[in-house]
Amino acid sequence: EKERQNSGSLCFTVVISCLAEKLLVVTVATKETDGFRRFMRSAKHFNYTVEVLGAGEEWKGGDYMSAPGGGQKVRLLKAALEQMKTEDLIILFIDSYDVVFASGPKELLKKFQQAKHKVVFSSESLIWPDRHLEDKHPYVKEGNRFLGSGGFIGYLPNIKKMVADWTGEDNTSDQLFFTRTYIDSDKRKSINITLDTKCRLFQNLHGALDEVVLKFEEGRVRARNVLYDTLPVIIHGNGPTKLQINYLGNYIPNTWTFETGCTVYIIESKPTPFVTVFFERLLTLKYPKNRLNLFIYNQEAHHEPHVSTFLDKHGSLYQNVKSIGPDEEMDKAAAYNLYFDMCRNNEDCDYLFSLDIEVVIKNEDILKILIEYNLPIVAPMITRIGRLWSNFWGALSADGYYARSEDYVDIVQEGVWNVPYVSNVYLVKASLLRSELQEFDLFTSKILDPDMAFCHNVRRKGIFMYVTNQHTFGRILSTENYQTTHLHNDLWQIFENPVDWQERYIHENYTLIMKNKLIETPCPDVYWFPLFSDVACNHIVEEMENFGEWSGGANTDKRIQGGYENVPTIDIHMNQINYEKEWQKFLVEYVAPITEKMYPGYYTKCSTPLNFVVKYKPDEQPLLVPHHDASTFTINIALNRKDVDYQGGGCRFLRYNCSIQAPRKGWALMHPGRLTHYHEGLPTTAGVRYIAVSFVDP
C-alpha cells in the first residue's frame, strides 16, 4: 500500500511536470518599465516561459486609473492565439507592469487542475467598470464574486473560443468584455469558465489590502490571504494599489530576504561624537549582514581605533569589508567614485546605501523602508535638533548652490518629495549606476563639492531624487564644536548634542522615576534613584584615572576657597578636567526636577562650588569619618559595583542609625547636607570604590 501511494504521488508529479512544459505565459508590454523588468525577474526566477506581445507598439489601450480600457491587450492576444496550434497548450494571460510571481509553474498548474474548469479567472471583491451588472454575476458559496480580467489561465482551444467574438477598439474595456462573457450562462458553460474565488492562484490587491500579509518561509517570501488562508501564486497590484505591489515586490519571491545585496558606505571626514554608538546602531539594522558589503572611508586619525575595534569584532559578519584610512590620503570625491564603481561592477549589488558617520539612525528598519519605496534615489529625512536644518535642499540657486524654497517647511513636516539635492544618507538603485549613471567621476567637480557634484550629475540625467518624512528615521549630530583633547570626549557633548548625551549617559529608567515612583527611601529624607548609565560611570572613572592627579587626602587643599578641608578625601574635582559647566548643566537638567519633587517648596538653581569624584582604597583612604556636608543637599552617585569591583563601603546616617550599602551602579543618593544628616563613609575592605559627589546650594 505504501509503495502504491508513493508510485501514485510520483505519477502525479510526472503529470504536473509534463503540463509545465506545455504552459506558456503571455503578457502585453509595449515598453520596458521598472515594473515589467520586475515581472520578468520573478518569471525567470521560477522558470516560466514568457511570450511578450506588443513590444515597440504605441499603447492605445487607455488609462486604467481614470477610465476603462485595455482592449488592445485582447486584440494582441487574439492575433497571437491564431498562430498557436497545440491543442493541449495551457495559456496564462497576465498583466506585467504590476504583477509578480510568488511561486512556480508546478504549484500554479496543480491549483488550476484542482479548479476542475477549462478557464479560471482571477476574482475581485469590487465590481468594475459597470456596477449595473452586479446582480447578473453568479453567487458563490465563499470568496470573491466578481471577475478580474488582469489574469486568467486556461487551455488554448477554450481561450480561443472566449476571445473569438472580440471586435472592440483598442481603448475599449477588456474587463467589460470578459465580464459579459462570464455572466452569460451559455458562454460560461460552453467555454467552461470559473473564478478563483479564494485567491488560490491570483491575488488582486484592489479592495483586499487588509487581507494580504507577508509570510516568511525558509528560502523565500510568500503573500498570504488571511481571509481565505491561501497562498496565491500570482500577485497583481491592480487599480490604485501600485505602491502596495511595489512594497510586496521588494520581498516576493525573495528579493528582500535572500537575493538582494546591498552595499553600505560609511564616511568619516571629521571628528564626530558618539562614533562607538554609531557602530552599535549599525549592527542593529534589520538586514541580513551576510548580504551587506561594507565600505568605510575615514579621513580622521582620531577615529581609526573605533573603526579597527568594530571591524575586529564584527567585520566577519558582513559579506565583504573594505576600509580606507587616513594613511591612504584619498580625497572624498575619489572615495565616493571608487565606492560607487565597486557597486556598479558587482552583479550582486542591488542597492547602495550611503551613510555619513554623524547620522544617528533610530529606525532599525530603515533599509527595508527605503527599498519599499522603489525609487531611483531616496533619502530618509533627518534633521538637527533645535535647528531648521535637514539633509536636503528644496531649491537651487542659479550656480547650483542652496537657495531658500517656499515649501521647505512643508517638506520637512510630511510627505515624499522630489528635491534637487540630498546628502548625508540616501539609497541608490544599483541598476542606475549600470545604466543612466555609468560615468565614473560622478562626484568630481572643479567648482562643486562632491555631494553637490553628484546631485548635479543626477539632475543632468533627468533622474529624480526623493526625500521621505513618512517615518521617523533619526537625526544628525552637531559636530562644529567637538573637541578631541580628552579620553572620552562624548562626555562634553551635553550642550551640543543633548539628546544623544542623554541616551548614552543617563540611566535607561530615569524617565520612569516620576511616572512609576521609581524612588526609594532607604533612610529618613534620603532618596535613592537611577541616574547614570553603566557607560557614564565607566567613562567618568576612566577619565579621572586618565587625568591621574588625585589629591593626597590632606586637610590643606589649595583647590578650595580658604585652602582648608575639614574632612578631606582622595579626589579629583570636576573643574580640574574642565568639566564644571557640563556637570552644572547635568545637575540642572536631571537632578533639580527630582529635588523639587521630593523637597516640596524648595527650588534649586543647583549652584555648587564642589563637584568631585572620590576614590576609596583599603591601603589609601578606606573610609570617611562622621561629618556634615557644606550643602543644602548632597548628591552621591555610585560609579562602580559593590561585590564586583570592591568590598565593603557604603554610607551610615548616625542620627537614624541607618546604613546604605549601594550595590546599584549609576544610582544616586540625595540627602540634606547640614544639621540633620550627620553621616560617615563605611570602610572599603577590598578593591577600589568610586563615587561622584556634589555639594549643592552651599
Side-chain angles (χ1 to χ4, degrees):
E1 175 65 19
K2 185 175 182 180
E3 290 178 359
R4 186 188 68 78
Q5 290 176 347
N6 289 340
S7 64
S9 298
L10 177 60
C11 180
F12 181 73
T13 302
V14 171
V15 169
I16 294 297
S17 297
C18 292
L19 285 174
E21 295 175 4
K22 296 181 179 180
L23 172 67
L24 177 65
V25 179
V26 180
T27 191
V28 173
T30 56
K31 64 179 181 179
E32 287 196 12
T33 64
D34 283 341
F36 174 76
R37 286 187 283 267
R38 176 183 60 197
F39 168 80
M40 292 300 292
R41 284 195 300 270
S42 69
K44 182 179 179 181
H45 178 83
F46 291 114
N47 295 317
Y48 284 97
T49 302
V50 181
E51 181 173 332
V52 181
L53 308 179
E57 279 195 21
E58 180 184 357
W59 175 252
K60 299 178 181 179
D63 180 3
Y64 291 99
M65 298 298 292
S66 59
Q72 187 172 352
K73 295 192 301 180
V74 187
R75 173 177 63 80
L76 291 169
L77 174 63
K78 181 179 178 180
L81 294 179
E82 290 173 355
Q83 307 301 315
M84 301 177 188
K85 306 302 181 184
T86 307
E87 293 293 307
D88 57 352
L89 184 66
I90 299 174
I91 301 294
L92 170 65
F93 189 66
I94 192 74
D95 288 353
S96 60
Y97 292 165
D98 50 9
V99 168
V100 291
F101 287 103
S103 189
K106 288 173 118 179
E107 182 178 337
L108 177 72
L109 290 168
K110 178 181 177 181
K111 290 179 175 179
F112 171 55
Q113 284 195 325
Q114 290 171 345
K116 297 179 181 179
H117 283 71
K118 297 297 184 181
V119 178
V120 179
F121 270 86
S122 69
S123 67
E124 299 187 44
S125 61
L126 306 172
I127 185 171
W128 189 84
D130 189 349
R131 294 185 179 180
H132 297 95
L133 300 177
E134 179 175 351
D135 292 340
K136 296 184 179 182
H137 279 71
Y139 285 93
V140 297
K141 291 182 179 180
E142 184 181 7
N144 298 326
R145 184 181 168 197
F146 306 113
L147 175 144
S149 66
F152 57 84
I153 184 172
Y155 288 97
L156 176 62
N158 302 76
I159 294 179
K160 275 186 176 181
K161 184 176 180 180
M162 183 172 64
V163 300
D165 295 336
W166 171 261
T167 57
E169 300 294 329
D170 281 359
N171 62 352
T172 53
S173 175
D174 64 325
Q175 174 91 4
L176 194 56
F177 169 74
F178 288 123
T179 296
R180 284 174 173 161
T181 301
Y182 174 67
I183 63 177
D184 185 319
S185 60
D186 292 335
K187 288 183 179 180
R188 184 172 66 250
K189 291 175 183 178
S190 64
I191 299 170
N192 198 4
I193 304 174
T194 191
L195 300 186
D196 177 33
T197 59
K198 296 183 182 179
C199 305
R200 300 180 73 243
L201 291 87
F202 306 95
Q203 176 66 65
N204 289 311
L205 294 178
H206 187 33
L209 291 177
D210 293 338
E211 301 169 12
V212 180
V213 299
L214 288 171
K215 174 180 170 60
F216 291 85
E217 300 175 343
E218 185 176 355
R220 63 175 173 170
V221 184
R222 296 293 297 266
R224 176 172 172 248
N225 186 304
V226 295
L227 184 61
Y228 306 120
D229 195 22
T230 55
L231 297 174
V233 178
I234 297 161
I235 315 300
H236 182 199
N238 58 320
T241 61
K242 308 308 178 192
L243 288 179
Q244 285 74 23
I245 192 63
N246 287 345
Y247 161 71
L248 295 173
N250 287 317
Y251 295 86
I252 300 168
N254 54 5
T255 26
W256 166 262
T257 306
F258 298 100
E259 295 298 323
T260 298
C262 185
T263 297
V264 176
Y265 173 48
I266 301 167
I267 179 168
E268 303 179 51
S269 56
K270 55 188 173 183
T272 305
F274 304 106
V275 170
T276 302
V277 183
F278 172 88
F279 282 117
E280 290 172 359
R281 291 197 179 104
L282 187 66
L283 288 170
T284 67
L285 293 183
K286 291 183 179 178
Y287 195 101
K289 293 179 180 58
N290 61 358
R291 297 299 302 157
L292 285 173
N293 292 291
L294 204 58
F295 185 105
I296 300 177
Y297 168 65
N298 175 33
Q299 287 184 313
E300 181 54 53
H302 175 72
H303 292 317
E304 275 298 280
H306 300 120
V307 175
S308 299
T309 299
F310 171 75
L311 293 181
D312 289 345
K313 290 183 177 179
H314 308 293
S316 61
L317 298 174
Y318 296 89
Q319 186 179 88
N320 188 38
V321 176
K322 180 174 178 60
S323 178
I324 294 178
D327 293 342
E328 298 185 48
E329 298 182 350
M330 180 181 291
D331 65 28
K332 183 177 178 180
Y336 266 121
N337 288 330
L338 174 62
Y339 156 58
F340 272 55
D341 201 51
M342 288 172 61
C343 178
R344 181 184 291 118
N345 295 317
N346 181 358
E347 62 181 13
D348 292 328
C349 180
D350 296 295
Y351 296 93
L352 184 150
F353 185 56
S354 181
L355 180 63
D356 284 2
I357 198 76
E358 60 260 41
V359 174
V360 178
I361 297 297
K362 296 295 291 179
N363 192 324
E364 296 175 350
D365 294 315
I366 185 170
L367 280 168
K368 177 179 72 118
I369 292 169
L370 294 180
I371 289 174
E372 286 168 4
Y373 280 106
N374 199 26
L375 294 170
I377 300 174
V378 59
M381 190 181 299
I382 54 171
T383 58
R384 185 166 290 163
I385 292 176
R387 304 181 191 179
L388 196 60
W389 186 98
S390 60
N391 62 321
F392 75 94
W393 294 349
L396 295 176
S397 63
D399 54 1
Y401 286 85
Y402 170 81
R404 181 171 296 181
S405 59
E406 294 181 0
D407 61 352
Y408 179 84
V409 174
D410 293 333
I411 296 174
V412 170
Q413 289 177 349
E414 183 179 3
V416 180
W417 300 79
N418 185 342
V419 295
Y421 173 88
V422 296
S423 64
N424 296 99
V425 52
Y426 51 85
L427 184 82
V428 181
K429 278 189 175 181
S431 58
L432 272 179
L433 305 181
R434 303 183 188 109
S435 53
E436 291 94 331
L437 297 179
Q438 294 184 39
E439 299 173 21
F440 178 80
D441 294 332
L442 290 174
F443 291 86
T444 304
S445 173
K446 293 181 180 180
I447 59 173
L448 300 174
D449 71 24
D451 288 329
M452 286 190 286
F454 171 68
C455 293
H456 169 78
N457 286 321
V458 170
R459 295 192 304 271
R460 184 168 55 87
K461 294 289 186 178
I463 299 168
F464 292 162
M465 292 170 280
Y466 297 87
V467 64
T468 173
N469 197 24
Q470 292 183 318
H471 300 264
T472 300
F473 293 104
R475 56 185 177 269
I476 191 163
L477 295 169
S478 173
T479 60
E480 285 81 359
N481 299 310
Y482 187 60
Q483 303 296 319
T484 59
T485 55
H486 303 282
L487 178 65
H488 293 297
N489 300 284
D490 295 347
L491 279 169
W492 275 258
Q493 288 294 297
I494 190 170
F495 290 102
E496 286 293 318
N497 294 289
V499 174
D500 299 270
W501 191 93
Q502 176 175 320
E503 289 182 354
R504 187 66 164 163
Y505 292 129
I506 295 300
H507 197 286
E508 62 181 353
N509 291 331
Y510 174 83
T511 56
L512 302 178
I513 290 175
M514 302 301 185
K515 180 179 178 181
N516 295 346
K517 299 181 179 178
L518 194 62
I519 297 181
E520 298 181 20
T521 310
C523 297
D525 287 328
V526 176
Y527 301 103
W528 197 17
F529 52 90
L531 190 55
F532 272 153
S533 67
D534 269 13
V535 173
C537 296
N538 295 341
H539 283 190
I540 291 171
V541 169
E542 291 165 10
E543 195 68 46
M544 294 302 181
E545 288 291 2
N546 182 65
F547 180 72
E549 297 182 14
W550 296 95
S551 67
N555 294 103
T556 303
D557 191 342
K558 296 179 180 179
R559 298 172 301 170
I560 62 176
Q561 187 176 3
Y564 183 83
E565 173 61 64
N566 186 42
V567 185
T569 55
I570 295 178
D571 56 45
I572 295 175
H573 290 190
M574 294 297 179
N575 60 13
Q576 291 179 262
I577 62 168
N578 298 316
Y579 201 64
E580 192 75 4
K581 65 177 183 178
E582 287 80 9
W583 191 264
Q584 170 78 13
K585 175 73 170 176
F586 153 71
L587 292 175
V588 169
E589 293 293 329
Y590 299 101
V591 174
I594 298 174
T595 303
E596 292 165 6
K597 179 72 173 178
M598 304 318 296
Y599 300 128
Y602 179 76
Y603 300 98
T604 177
K605 294 182 180 180
C606 286
S607 61
T608 169
L610 282 179
N611 305 294
F612 49 95
V613 172
V614 179
K615 177 166 68 172
Y616 291 106
K617 290 180 67 176
D619 57 348
E620 290 182 357
Q621 183 179 13
L623 54 82
L624 201 58
V625 299
H627 63 283
H628 285 295
D629 293 334
S631 67
T632 301
F633 67 92
T634 296
I635 298 295
N636 179 328
I637 308 169
L639 297 179
N640 56 350
R641 192 165 282 113
K642 184 180 183 296
D643 297 329
V644 175
D645 304 305
Y646 65 90
Q647 300 291 327
C651 182
R652 177 171 174 261
F653 294 93
L654 278 68
R655 173 177 291 186
Y656 309 106
N657 192 28
C658 181
S659 298
I660 306 168
Q661 291 187 329
R664 301 177 191 173
K665 184 178 179 180
W667 280 55
L669 285 174
M670 182 171 70
H671 62 82
R674 292 191 179 89
L675 302 178
T676 59
H677 283 65
Y678 194 58
H679 60 283
E680 63 180 336
L682 299 174
T684 298
T685 58
V688 182
R689 178 190 178 209
Y690 297 94
I691 59 173
V693 179
S694 287
F695 292 164
V696 184
D697 295 348

